[in-house]
């Protein structure tokens, strides 16, 4: 038994028709915590629990904390989640609902992260939202499931924040013998630290995050994600907030699934005329999910961005 569940991998008729080729959706929004984060965080929490830790301490913009809170409740381990003031109230409420202690500290994730690190005692385990090999191993299970369910996709599309999902998917592609599948790494304008870092060939730290896709709001990508750029065919795509929000609303209308703008970004990349997507015979999109938004907020974002 794992803490995450095996999620549906469904062909999207509307997207397939628009692109003229099969488009498949890996429905991570169906995870009990609302996002793929549960795969990596679950793997980490299980390993640390088996090693006898007494408490999980997490820093998070929302979904990683929610996953840690879920794991703590399932495993009977107390959890402290530190979030910045930018974390939406809905995310804070959901974390408290799982029975975790919630601390709001700092204006950005980096400040919340610093504070969370200062809390770590000898019997605590730290749960990083994206930069930990155990987290990547856990995320890689989503590729194992795609591989078990059918043929190799022609390309795989995913959103990038700190790069944990990217590292996990690449590990999954590698361990399934799919190292020739190109990956489209999507960010929003204002949270595009990965695209900039790859373009400049060194880690670029953004001065601030200006995108509404708060779950993509790491100011710099993890080193692991940058190392992959040298070993695998990865194409960066940057979409606008408006495109990301509209793609999230369209998913809700077409597939009855609510996701954050961070996830909408990956879906929006399907509409960009990217040569690698035009060349691909089929496409798999990681519908990474996100529990911190409501349908009304998506509509409000869309109205504001118009
Ligand atoms: C965390 C998160 C991301 C970004 O994942 P990274 O591992 O930080 O790159 C994207 N979408 C959602 C919904 C998330 O929760």
């Amino acid at each position: 038994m794992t803490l995450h569940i095996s999620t549906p991998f469904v062909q999207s008729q509307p997207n397939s028709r628009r692109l003229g080729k099969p488009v498949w959706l890996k429905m991570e929004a169906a995870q009990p915590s609302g996002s793929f984060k549960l795969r990596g965080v679950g793997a980490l929490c299980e390993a640390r629990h088996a090693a006898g830790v007494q408490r999980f301490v997490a820093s998070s913009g929302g979904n990683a904390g929610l996953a840690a809170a879920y794991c703590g409740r399932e495993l009977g381990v107390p959890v402290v989640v530190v979030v910045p003031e930018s974390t939406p109230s809905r995310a804070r409420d959901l974390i408290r609902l799982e029975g975790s202690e919630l601390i709001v500290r700092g204006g950005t994730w980096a400040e919340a992260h610093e504070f969370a690190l200062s809390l770590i005692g000898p019997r605590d385990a730290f749960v990083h939202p994206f930069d930990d090999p155990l987290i990547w191993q856990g995320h890689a299970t989503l590729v194992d499931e795609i591989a078990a369910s059918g043929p190799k996709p022609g390309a795989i599309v995913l959103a990038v924040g700190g790069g944990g999902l990217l590292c996990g998917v690449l590990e999954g592609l590698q361990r399934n013998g799919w190292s020739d599948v190109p990956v489209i790494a999507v960010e929003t304008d204002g949270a595009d630290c990965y695209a900039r870092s790859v373009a400049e060939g060194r880690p670029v730290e953004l001065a601030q995050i200006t995108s509404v896709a708060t779950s993509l709001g790491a100011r710099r990508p993890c080193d692991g994600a940058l190392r992959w750029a040298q070993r695998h065919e990865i194409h960066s795509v940057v979409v606008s907030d408006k495109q990301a929000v509209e793609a999230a609303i369209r998913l809700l209308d077409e597939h009855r699934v609510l996701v954050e703008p961070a996830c909408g970004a990956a879906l929006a990349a399907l509409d960009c005329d990217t040569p690698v997507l035009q060349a691909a015979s089929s496409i798999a999109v990681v519908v990474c999910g996100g529990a911190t938004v409501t349908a009304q907020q998506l509509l409000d974002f869309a109205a504001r961005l118009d």
Side-chain angles (χ1 to χ4, degrees):
M1 267 298 282
T2 56
L3 289 160
H4 69 265
I5 64 165
S6 183
T7 56
F9 187 51
V10 294
Q11 191 175 346
S12 165
Q13 288 308 336
N15 278 300
S16 300
R17 204 161 299 135
R18 275 192 292 272
L19 272 80
K21 64 186 73 176
V23 176
W24 293 80
L25 305 178
K26 184 60 175 160
M27 288 292 197
E28 292 303 295
Q31 291 293 349
S33 75
S35 79
F36 73 94
K37 290 275 191 340
L38 188 54
R39 292 182 185 270
V41 170
L44 181 80
C45 288
E46 262 180 314
R48 300 292 186 252
H49 176 56
V53 306
Q54 303 284 301
R55 188 172 74 149
F56 300 141
V57 178
S59 67
S60 172
N63 292 311
L66 199 47
Y70 176 88
C71 293
R73 183 177 52 69
E74 287 285 314
L75 297 169
V77 175
V79 183
V80 182
V81 181
V82 187
V83 299
E85 278 136 26
S86 58
T87 292
S89 61
R90 177 180 163 78
R92 302 181 194 189
D93 292 344
L94 291 171
I95 290 167
R96 287 198 199 94
L97 264 178
E98 287 286 8
S100 286
E101 181 185 343
L102 182 85
I103 298 175
V104 181
R105 186 60 70 105
T108 62
W109 169 76
E111 288 167 60
H113 182 64
E114 279 303 307
F115 184 71
L117 289 175
S118 77
L119 297 178
I120 307 287
R123 315 198 68 184
D124 295 334
F126 185 62
V127 182
H128 196 287
F130 54 82
D131 195 4
D132 190 315
L134 263 176
I135 296 267
W136 307 336
Q137 264 180 42
H139 291 342
T141 56
L142 86 84
V143 181
D144 298 338
E145 288 169 22
I146 295 175
S149 77
K152 178 163 83 172
I156 185 155
V157 181
L158 52 80
V160 175
L165 176 61
L166 178 72
C167 288
V169 165
L170 286 162
E171 184 168 332
L173 290 174
Q174 208 79 18
R175 77 186 183 196
N176 285 283
W178 284 358
S179 48
D180 58 339
V181 175
V183 170
I184 320 305
V186 192
E187 296 169 292
T188 47
D189 202 8
D192 51 340
C193 64
Y194 189 68
R196 291 190 195 205
S197 298
V198 171
E200 297 205 14
R202 61 174 180 92
V204 170
E205 183 161 327
L206 301 179
Q208 55 175 349
I209 302 296
T210 54
S211 171
V212 300
T214 50
S215 291
L216 305 185
R219 278 166 51 201
R220 59 154 290 178
C222 64
D223 292 338
L226 290 175
R227 280 196 298 273
W228 274 113
Q230 279 148 20
R231 283 183 285 155
H232 195 101
E233 185 184 346
I234 301 174
H235 301 265
S236 264
V237 170
V238 179
V239 300
S240 68
D241 274 356
K242 185 167 152 49
Q243 287 173 301
V245 168
E246 283 174 354
I249 293 171
R250 193 167 71 185
L251 183 80
L252 182 55
D253 288 339
E254 291 180 347
H255 289 277
R256 307 158 304 282
V257 171
L258 176 64
V259 298
E260 289 179 19
C263 175
L267 294 156
L270 293 175
D271 299 325
C272 304
D273 290 326
T274 311
V276 63
L277 290 182
Q278 285 168 344
S281 54
S282 68
I283 300 167
V285 186
V286 180
V287 181
C288 48
T292 79
V293 84
T294 63
Q296 186 58 52
Q297 275 169 336
L298 284 184
L299 298 175
D300 291 348
F301 282 144
R304 205 180 78 204
L305 294 166
D306 236 352

